[in-house]
Amino acid sequence: MNFEYTAKSLDLQARVQVFMDEHIYPLEEEMRAFRREKLWQIHPKMDELKAAAKAAGLWNLFLPKGYGDLSPGLTNLEYAPLAELMGRVIWASEVFNCSAPDTGNMEVLAKYGSSEQQERWLRPLMDGEIRSAFLMTEPEVASSDATNIETSIVRDGDEYVINGRKWWSSGAMNPECAVYIVMGKTNPDADRHRQQAMILVPADTPGVEVVRPLRVFGSLDSPEGHAEVTLTNVRVPSTNLILGEGRGFEIAQGRLGPGRIHHCMRLIGAAQRSLELMAKRVAVREAFGRRIKDFSSIRQDIAQSRCDIEQARLLTLAAADKIDRFGAKGARDLIGMIKIVCPTMTCKVVDRAIQAHGGMGVCQDTPLAGFWVYGRMIRIADGPDEVHMYQLGRNTVKDYS
Ligand SMILES: Cc1cc2nc3c(=O)[nH]c(=O)nc-3n(C[C@H](O)[C@H](O)[C@H](O)COP(=O)(O)OP(=O)(O)OC[C@H]3O[C@@H](n4cnc5c(N)ncnc54)[C@H](O)[C@@H]3O)c2cc1C
């Protein structure tokens, strides 16, 4: 692979950097306090920021060029360093309409949605008028094995009737969340991987109840939140089914590949920023008669972090390059590898940065605590580490035996 970025990507990297400097970093502390204290409210400057990003041509950059007119025309490899820049501030990717779970949901609709579904839901999502959530995980079953999902989706005339209980529905607490993509069973007697389907459910459909927000290490992650949601005799038109009955796994494969690259690049951005904050802090602080930067354990932590980040970055770029050339299926093993490597790497690097900051590192005065939580939760979300290792191990044995 060619490790040089294209001129187009370099130009956009410079522009995203300028945007971050002018609009995002100056608001960072205020936004952190707002998100903590004003629950389920959107910061008054959010719409203004989104309009500025749109006007600057920094909008929907995540959607790869294979999507034709819908896409701003970047490859995953060109987009990866932009996601890294956005990941340096926990809420920044939303400003560019590049945040999960909307990106994955938009990609599902762009790839598999009917023209009616695209007009009704994809267009407002791509315009940033509404937000969305993805409802797969269920409290009653081990959802890392998605064949366990029990929510029922039953055809009744021109409608489907949905019953089930979901949790960890990220984004579903957001007052702007208007639609869910729900995974459930349409064909419970079919082959294990042909039982599931995905269906669009408007958030205001009768029978939908947002039961409670879940906390992640004590934080509510407002305004997006992670909700527990019940669906009781929820009726939607049969045209809301995406792609067809029994095709949920096929859609899930298409959804998760690029999404994992986005998460990994954002995590690398968080780790890189943590390293930079650490370097700045230890350069000025003194203990036991010398600058903290001069203790060899600190230098080792910094050097090790730099190596860890660069290794993860290169692996993720290789995955992005492979997905561009061979699709999500062809890049399957590399995508598994980055999902295993990047969240743990981020946790380690952020942990070292927290330690070097002393007490300041665990409080609200730096983004470090939020970065650590992000890395830790991605070790579980989008498939726990062990599941990716289980699959990568199986594929590797198959390849070499
Ligand atoms: C902050 C956050 C946000 C999330 N957002 C969403 C969302 O928007 N939408 C959504 O649908 N879900 C979401 N999830 C849910 C997430 O995808 C699931 O939690 C995850 O898939 C694991 O499922 P589970 O919680 O049922 O754990 P289980 O399936 O019960 O697994 C528990 C543990 O068992 C172990 N295990 C499982 N399989 C294996 C194996 N093959 N080998 C070895 N060990 C194994 C692992 O340690 C695993 O963590 C989110 C989760 C978190 C924490």
Side-chain angles (χ1 to χ4, degrees):
M1 91 176 246
N2 180 0
F3 284 86
E4 296 300 321
Y5 294 122
T6 60
K8 192 174 184 181
S9 179
L10 285 170
D11 170 58
L12 282 163
Q13 286 174 49
R15 286 159 56 196
V16 169
Q17 177 74 61
V18 168
F19 194 94
M20 296 284 292
D21 290 341
E22 287 179 358
H23 300 280
I24 306 283
Y25 293 121
L27 198 62
E28 195 178 6
E29 273 188 37
E30 182 186 321
M31 187 67 98
R32 204 156 48 231
F34 185 92
R35 288 169 64 90
R36 202 171 46 240
E37 285 152 23
K38 310 270 183 195
L39 291 183
W40 321 125
Q41 295 178 43
I42 310 292
H43 191 282
K45 288 198 186 131
M46 202 41 149
D47 282 348
E48 209 178 288
L49 288 178
K50 289 184 181 184
K54 221 186 250 185
L58 304 174
W59 190 251
N60 289 332
L61 297 167
F62 74 93
L63 197 64
K65 67 180 185 187
Y67 290 98
D69 291 346
L70 287 171
S71 160
L74 298 178
T75 62
N76 283 290
L77 186 58
E78 287 171 321
Y79 172 63
L82 307 175
E84 178 178 337
L85 288 169
M86 295 173 198
R88 292 171 62 91
V89 174
I90 218 99
W91 48 268
S93 57
E94 186 195 336
V95 171
F96 305 96
N97 215 35
C98 287
S99 56
D102 295 315
T103 44
N105 293 340
M106 285 188 267
E107 199 157 350
V108 163
L109 289 169
K111 196 167 187 171
Y112 305 108
S114 65
S115 46
E116 183 194 333
Q117 291 166 353
Q118 291 187 350
E119 182 52 31
R120 171 100 197 265
W121 301 113
L122 180 59
R123 194 200 48 75
L125 278 167
M126 293 209 59
D127 288 345
E129 289 165 7
I130 59 166
R131 309 289 312 273
S132 62
F134 181 68
L135 278 59
M136 185 201 75
T137 304
E138 298 179 1
E140 305 304 334
V141 293
S143 303
S144 50
D145 174 359
T147 61
N148 284 338
I149 298 305
E150 286 179 338
T151 290
S152 65
I153 305 176
V154 178
R155 180 99 189 211
D156 182 22
D158 289 343
E159 293 178 324
Y160 279 100
V161 185
I162 308 163
N163 281 285
R165 177 181 290 271
K166 300 289 187 180
W167 73 346
W168 291 111
S169 308
S170 299
M173 296 301 299
N174 191 317
E176 293 179 345
C177 181
V179 65
Y180 311 140
I181 294 181
V182 176
M183 189 161 174
K185 280 188 180 164
T186 44
N187 306 56
D189 300 323
D191 175 70
R192 270 175 85 223
H193 292 97
R194 299 286 298 177
Q195 296 179 3
Q196 309 281 347
M198 289 196 197
I199 194 159
L200 287 154
V201 177
D204 59 1
T205 312
V208 170
E209 189 192 350
V210 175
V211 179
R212 59 171 179 152
L214 300 166
R215 290 176 187 268
V216 183
F217 295 105
S219 167
L220 286 163
D221 280 356
S222 169
E224 295 82 24
H226 311 279
E228 180 171 338
V229 182
T230 54
L231 303 128
T232 311
N233 295 323
V234 170
R235 285 181 172 269
V236 295
S238 58
T239 48
N240 280 25
L241 197 73
I242 304 172
L243 203 57
E245 292 190 0
R247 304 190 66 181
F249 270 90
E250 197 179 328
I251 300 171
Q253 289 315 313
R255 182 182 189 277
L256 287 175
R260 286 182 180 137
I261 292 180
H262 303 167
H263 269 311
C264 289
M265 288 312 292
R266 283 195 292 269
L267 285 167
I268 290 162
Q272 176 67 34
R273 177 121 188 263
S274 303
L275 173 64
E276 292 169 21
L277 290 171
M278 179 180 182
K280 278 192 189 117
R281 177 80 171 172
V282 297
V284 295
R285 205 120 158 126
E286 283 187 19
F288 301 96
R290 52 169 133 160
R291 295 278 161 95
I292 293 178
K293 73 177 172 60
D294 294 325
F295 293 107
S296 64
S297 64
I298 294 284
R299 286 191 189 176
Q300 276 175 25
D301 277 356
I302 287 179
Q304 187 63 57
S305 298
R306 196 158 169 201
C307 298
D308 292 346
I309 293 169
E310 193 61 16
Q311 286 171 345
R313 182 184 282 125
L314 292 174
L315 191 62
T316 306
L317 291 175
D321 177 57
K322 194 134 192 193
I323 206 172
D324 285 333
R325 289 190 292 134
F326 300 101
K329 211 167 169 190
R332 182 190 59 183
D333 286 357
L334 273 169
I335 292 169
M337 286 181 220
I338 61 171
K339 181 63 177 57
I340 294 162
V341 165
C342 293
T344 297
M345 177 283 293
T346 303
C347 287
K348 278 192 201 152
V349 169
V350 178
D351 187 67
R352 292 180 196 125
I354 287 174
Q355 190 71 11
H357 277 74
M360 189 190 192
V362 295
C363 79
Q364 70 271 37
D365 287 353
T366 78
L368 295 171
F371 287 160
W372 186 85
V373 170
Y374 182 33
R376 189 63 189 85
M377 70 100 162
I378 297 290
R379 288 194 56 203
I380 296 171
D382 275 3
D385 290 357
E386 295 88 345
V387 173
H388 292 283
M389 292 196 214
Y390 178 71
Q391 289 164 350
L392 182 63
R394 179 199 57 198
N395 298 345
T396 307
V397 170
K398 208 164 147 195
D399 284 349
Y400 295 123
S401 61

